[in-house]
Each structure stands twice: as structure tokens, then as C-alpha cells.
Amino acid sequence: MNEPTSPDTVADTTTSAPKLITFHRFIPTARLPQRADRSAAGSLPTRAFRYCEPATSAAGFGYYLFPPIGFAVQWDGHDIMWTYEGVGEWFPLGAVQFPGFSDSFDAQAPDEIKGFSPPFLGALQEPGLIQLWTGYVARTAPGYSLLVRAPANLPRRGGYEAFEGIVESDRWFGPLITNLRLTRTNVPIDFRPDYPLLQVQPIPRFVYEEQHLNNYEIVPEMAQLTAGDWGDYYDTVVRPNSQIVRPRGQYAAAARKRRSSEDTAEGKSTGSRA
């Protein structure tokens, strides 16, 4: 995957409007975050990329984050060992700093913050669980949180699974970390700095609040569907399959057309307020 080169990847001081998300790089050698790819970094089948709008929309929602260095861990069911590129030996994993980072952190941090550089990697108390810092701190726009998860629709590298978490990153300015569950024993599990480790997705905080999530309804019997429900089902399922010549990707085309129309309307509205 190519390193992003857009000017939007660096700090923009020309406007006071808050960005949806700002990534602050602490580890200077860490790969820059990049927009998630609608093709899942080229791994989606061509037919899915062209016609499956749900899959491509999910794949492209958010930003990829990468390990800040190539490293490997190995778990024997009890203890975890680790190594990183260039050292050629294995070490017991407790809680470790990114190589050379603590001195760099202390050289730049205010006096009252010196000595508090985030650990890069650590073994948790629970067997087979580790915690990894991406080398970044993220801040989202007011009212937005950050869903941290494994990359959507991207083939997983074997040997571990990422826990999902939601961080109130408009209020909490701290290390962007993830917890991983190791799923293999007695074999090295590799983490590559050029392969996405996480996908982070800004979401409005109200969408996961209890009051909002509890506002749902269940229709337990098909006989309770309304005429409008059946009409929508007809338009979605029956009409396309009844066409003599059925164009491919009708849902994808309709969704893209709707988004284009909404973007145009939003642009005109924004221009009228300028």
C-alpha cells in the first residue's frame, strides 16, 4: 500500500473549523494513517467492488492504522515472547516502550509529563491477551467518538483477533491503543508495518446512547406487514428480478446517485450561507 501524500494528512492551521478527526503522531517513524479503501486494499473481488455497495461502503468507512514497526510475538499458552525487526532475538513480554521512544518523549514533553510515555506493547493479565499502541493520539470533532476495530472486509492476518472499542475521543486525549487476543500457540505471529492493523471510524455519540438504541420495534409476524412494506419489498426484490434485461448493480447505482444528489444539495446550501 502506498504512503498517503494528500496535504490533508498534515496539520491545517488555515481554518478554525474542527476537522472530523485529527491524528497526532507521537512515534515519528510510524506510518501515516490513510483513508480506508472501498476495495478493501484491493482484496475485494472485482464483482463485489463494482456492484456490492454495502461491502464497498463498509470497507471505505474510516481510516487505516498500521503497526509502527514490524514485530512478532509468540505465546506458549502461558508466557509471551516478542521480537522486532533488526534485533534477531526474543524477549519476555511484560510492558515495553517503543525502541528509543521514551528518551524522545521526555526531550519534548513538559516537565510535569516527562516519564509518562505510553508503553508500546504489553501482555495483559488474562492469558493470550496483549495491548498495542499505534503511536498515535486522535482527537475527533465535538460530539463524535471513535470506533476502533479490525479492518472491514480485509482478510485477517492469522494468529490474532482485535477487540472492538468505542473511545470518546473528543473528550479523551490519550494513546490510541487496541487489545488483541492471540489465537495460536507456539508459532510466531507477525505484525507488518505496511499492512492495516486497525480501522477507526468516527461516529456521532448519540447513535450508541441507550436512549437511542432502546428506540426499536419488532414485527413478529409476516401477516403484520403493511401494504407499504409489501410495496417496498416488491420494488427491492420482485421488480428487478422480473426485468427481461436486468442491469447489474442497480442498488449500487441508485445509492451513488442519491449520494451525489445529496452532496450537490449540501454544497449549494453551504455556498448560500457563505
Side-chain angles (χ1 to χ4, degrees), residues 124-168:
L124 300 180
Q125 294 180 349
E126 296 78 6
L129 299 188
I130 62 175
Q131 187 172 87
L132 168 66
W133 178 39
T134 59
Y136 281 86
V137 171
R139 191 192 299 278
T140 45
Y144 280 83
S145 295
L146 204 59
L147 172 61
V148 183
R149 50 161 299 176
N153 297 332
L154 190 66
R156 309 286 176 85
R157 297 184 62 80
Y160 67 89
E161 290 288 337
F163 285 83
E164 295 195 9
I166 297 177
V167 183
E168 293 187 357

Side-chain angles (χ1 to χ4, degrees), residues 8-271:
D8 289 340
T9 61
V10 297
D12 180 3
T13 59
T14 61
T15 177
S16 59
K19 297 292 187 181
L20 175 61
I21 182 170
T22 300
F23 295 100
H24 298 266
R25 182 165 66 173
F26 277 44
I27 296 177
T29 57
R31 185 186 178 103
L32 295 177
Q34 64 187 78
R35 271 297 313 275
D37 182 7
R38 288 175 61 86
S39 71
S43 66
L44 280 182
T46 301
R47 189 160 60 92
F49 177 65
R50 292 183 63 185
Y51 304 121
C52 188
E53 187 67 15
T56 57
S57 293
F61 175 30
Y63 308 85
Y64 290 144
L65 290 175
F66 304 81
I69 193 175
F71 69 97
V73 298
Q74 184 163 318
W75 177 43
D76 64 5
H78 184 267
D79 296 316
I80 300 175
M81 305 289 288
W82 86 295
T83 187
Y84 59 95
E85 55 188 25
V87 296
E89 58 181 311
W90 290 81
F91 308 96
L93 180 60
V96 297
Q97 289 280 319
F98 187 86
F101 176 70
S102 59
D103 290 339
S104 173
F105 180 90
D106 287 348
Q108 300 179 70
D111 289 342
E112 67 275 15
I113 299 179
K114 295 181 188 300
F116 286 88
S117 58
F120 162 58
L121 188 65
L124 300 180
Q125 294 180 349
E126 296 78 6
L129 299 188
I130 62 175
Q131 187 172 87
L132 168 66
W133 178 39
T134 59
Y136 281 86
V137 171
R139 191 192 299 278
T140 45
Y144 280 83
S145 295
L146 204 59
L147 172 61
V148 183
R149 50 161 299 176
N153 297 332
L154 190 66
R156 309 286 176 85
R157 297 184 62 80
Y160 67 89
E161 290 288 337
F163 285 83
E164 295 195 9
I166 297 177
V167 183
E168 293 187 357
S169 43
D170 61 337
R171 305 172 177 175
W172 190 83
F173 191 72
L176 187 53
I177 61 174
T178 185
N179 294 328
L180 305 174
R181 176 188 291 113
L182 305 181
T183 59
R184 291 180 182 173
T185 56
N186 299 312
V187 294
I189 301 170
D190 295 320
F191 295 81
R192 288 171 36 191
D194 61 346
Y195 196 86
L197 172 71
L198 299 173
Q199 188 162 338
V200 294
Q201 301 171 327
I203 54 175
R205 188 153 41 248
F206 79 89
V207 300
Y208 65 91
E209 291 176 346
E210 285 296 304
Q211 181 179 358
H212 190 72
L213 291 175
N214 286 333
N215 183 24
Y216 69 97
E217 181 181 9
I218 297 173
V219 179
E221 301 291 341
M222 195 166 63
Q224 295 175 270
L225 269 65
T226 66
D229 294 331
W230 285 118
D232 291 339
Y233 186 89
Y234 181 89
D235 290 339
T236 302
V237 178
V238 180
R239 190 187 304 279
N241 286 283
S242 300
Q243 294 173 310
I244 297 176
V245 178
R246 180 185 177 184
R248 291 184 175 181
Q250 287 178 304
Y251 173 87
R256 292 166 187 163
K257 183 177 180 180
R258 175 188 55 77
R259 284 203 303 267
S260 177
S261 175
E262 291 175 348
D263 290 344
T264 301
E266 182 178 351
K268 290 180 179 179
S269 174
T270 303

